[in-house]
Amino acid sequence: MKVVIQTILNVEGNRGFRNGEFYVRDSEFKKDPDFAVAVVAYEWIQQQWRASGCRDMVIERVTWNEENDITQIVREIEPVLPEDDLPF
């Protein structure tokens, strides 16, 4: 499924709007379209964050296809880290 994601991010007081076209897996989209798109949006925002030099960033608004607001879902996503089972 192809979707258009729009973001408004505030990086240390500078607001910026970006949009882009992304592909979301059909199987994931059929289960929960908002969450599937939110995961893709989160990954894209992380790329933007790294490109900005890892500065303080506030997610103000995230939508897909100009009408579906997924801001809160994106804010609640947290990366899954592997379990640290090293002996030291």
Side-chain angles (χ1 to χ4, degrees):
M1 180 72 161
K2 188 173 171 181
V3 296
V4 176
I5 299 174
Q6 301 90 14
T7 62
I8 298 176
L9 304 174
N10 186 329
V11 180
E12 295 183 345
N14 297 313
R15 295 178 74 211
F17 172 82
R18 293 185 79 179
N19 66 343
E21 293 182 356
F22 298 90
Y23 288 96
V24 180
R25 287 187 177 166
D26 287 335
S27 60
E28 298 296 323
F29 189 82
K30 288 177 184 176
K31 289 179 190 175
D32 187 353
D34 285 342
F35 184 74
V37 176
V39 170
V40 174
Y42 177 82
E43 292 169 353
W44 184 42
I45 290 169
Q46 290 302 302
Q47 290 175 356
Q48 294 177 53
W49 177 69
R50 286 189 292 277
S52 75
C54 301
R55 298 184 312 185
D56 290 335
M57 178 181 290
V58 176
I59 300 170
E60 290 189 4
R61 185 169 173 89
V62 182
T63 60
W64 62 278
N65 291 352
E66 297 181 7
E67 57 190 37
N68 303 295
D69 189 351
I70 55 172
T71 305
Q72 194 58 37
I73 299 170
V74 173
R75 287 178 181 160
E76 293 173 358
I77 293 176
E78 295 181 13
V80 177
L81 301 174
E83 186 177 324
D84 185 10
D85 59 354
L86 298 175
F88 49 88

